């Protein structure tokens, strides 16, 4: 995984999930320190429109343009951030 | 929300998500310190079988028997745990 490439992509995520992976908005998940494989499978489930409910429509749109490599890189970036924020 | 009731229910979650909300298994999310409203909407999306993909079938089954109050209480319990584990 290319963490720097993931960080570059993460600018699209920061408005909701926080630049440090700690969401500032109720209803949005923190991503910092999250399990890496879980982040991969979640993004793929949003991209494939398998995940519905809640705010899933937002994430379906966000994930549409991501390649498998993009997803792996984003997951590595967020998994590596400190869970308690910084 | 009744955090003690949530803690009592959480024994069913601990095998995969850890007794402290930190998953010990690749592919499962940490729950400790997660956004409370996100936990509520996620559990409802699993219960309603709207969330598919990944390990969603496992969670659909786990969430089937939960009432709205159960979900609120579980979310409050996990949201209150320290995100970095303990």
């Amino acid at each position: 995984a290319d963490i720097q490439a993931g960080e570059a992509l993460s600018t699209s995520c920061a408005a909701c999930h926080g630049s440090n992976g700690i969401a500032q908005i109720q209803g949005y998940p923190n991503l910092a320190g999250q399990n890496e494989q879980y982040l991969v499978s979640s993004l793929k489930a949003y991209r494939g429109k398998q995940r519905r409910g809640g705010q899933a429509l937002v994430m379906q749109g966000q994930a549409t343009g991501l390649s498998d490599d993009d997803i792996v890189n984003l997951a590595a970036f967020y998994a590596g951030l400190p869970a308690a924020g910084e």
Side-chain angles (χ1 to χ4, degrees), chain A residues 41-59:
Chain A
S41 71
S42 299
L43 277 166
K44 289 185 175 178
Y46 284 122
R47 187 180 61 180
K49 304 197 191 315
Q50 296 173 293
R51 263 205 186 189
R52 297 174 291 126
Q55 300 294 311
L57 281 175
V58 177
M59 277 304 301

Side-chain angles (χ1 to χ4, degrees), chain A residues 15-85:
Chain A
C16 296
H17 293 286
S19 57
N20 61 350
I22 306 295
Q24 299 303 310
I25 311 172
Q26 268 296 325
Y28 286 79
N30 304 324
L31 304 178
Q34 187 51 281
N35 183 282
E36 188 168 345
Q37 287 307 311
Y38 172 73
L39 292 173
V40 169
S41 71
S42 299
L43 277 166
K44 289 185 175 178
Y46 284 122
R47 187 180 61 180
K49 304 197 191 315
Q50 296 173 293
R51 263 205 186 189
R52 297 174 291 126
Q55 300 294 311
L57 281 175
V58 177
M59 277 304 301
Q60 289 179 12
Q62 290 288 317
T64 295
L66 298 176
S67 69
D68 284 1
D69 280 350
D70 290 340
I71 285 174
V72 164
N73 294 339
L74 275 167
F77 169 66
Y78 281 112
L81 294 178

